[in-house]
Amino acid sequence: VTIQDAKGIATVVEHSTLIFDISVPVTPNLPVWPGDPPVGIRPVMRIAAGADCNVSELACSSHAGTHIDAPWHFIEAGARVDEIPLNLLIGPCLVVDLFATKGQIDAEQLAAAGIAAGTRRLLLRTRNSQLWADRPGEFVRDFAGLSLDAAQWLLDRDIQLVGIDYHSIEPFDADGDPVHRVLLGANVVVIENLDLSGVEPGSYQLVCLPLRLAGLDGAPARAVLIADA
Ligand SMILES: [Zn+2]
């Protein structure tokens, strides 16, 4: 049985299984990091134009849309995106609500967010998720990101994967990108540009599979959460 809800985000594949798509649609209107190339989609062949089939050319940054940052993004000796172990990208995952946070997310807010000991995969649902609906096509600079003490808090608790619902895990104006350097330097998997507006906080199974782009600094990914039955 397959049913989509009004927003098209939940698909019932069995009676007790809900799958939430938490990736953003890749379109030419997708905002990108200032200076990055926009998403380009060019029709190569179109049935409507008399061709045998439909084929498109896709051109984009390795950080377009929902994507993984590989350690090599900021650490010259770090692992490439195709070297990230799949067992980090698939498994139990906690979504926490930080929607009310106005500025940066600091260690104090993480400590108060109800993150159970033993959590290894963590997705942060912040006010950012609302930007996908409220300001589509726009790159908003005052999004919520982690402060450096929050990144250290994650390492201290042995979090191995962290995801956030906008373009960067750290604030836009973070000087020297310390949060990226700390997390990627510790081989924490970073997922950016999630849309968590359609999921409630709680426990899920995460499946987030970046394209197997050999030797690259990051890769677009399809990310889904499977509700615990
Ligand atoms: Zn990135």
Side-chain angles (χ1 to χ4, degrees), residues 58-176:
L58 169 67
C60 67
S61 155
S62 47
H63 298 258
T66 304
H67 70 276
I68 299 286
D69 278 3
W72 190 56
H73 186 35
F74 275 94
I75 310 291
E76 185 57 16
R80 314 298 175 96
V81 73
D82 54 320
E83 297 170 337
I84 296 173
L86 290 174
N87 61 11
L88 293 181
L89 297 163
I90 300 170
C93 179
L94 181 69
V95 177
V96 292
D97 187 35
L98 294 160
F99 188 83
T101 301
K102 297 268 191 291
Q104 297 184 21
I105 297 158
D106 61 19
E108 203 176 323
Q109 284 154 344
L110 289 181
I115 300 167
T119 299
R120 294 291 170 261
R121 299 175 192 81
L122 179 68
L123 304 185
L124 309 172
R125 191 180 77 162
T126 77
R127 66 180 191 272
N128 298 342
S129 275
Q130 210 57 43
L131 294 174
W132 299 114
D134 290 355
R135 297 169 75 174
E138 191 180 342
F139 184 93
V140 176
R141 296 190 177 211
D142 64 345
F143 58 84
L146 295 184
S147 63
L148 183 54
D149 69 336
Q152 191 57 53
W153 191 94
L154 296 177
L155 291 194
D156 292 346
R157 274 144 195 88
D158 201 19
I159 301 286
Q160 293 171 348
L161 175 149
V162 62
I164 197 160
D165 45 4
Y166 212 56
H167 289 266
S168 179
I169 191 68
E170 66 188 312
F172 180 74
D173 53 6
D175 199 20

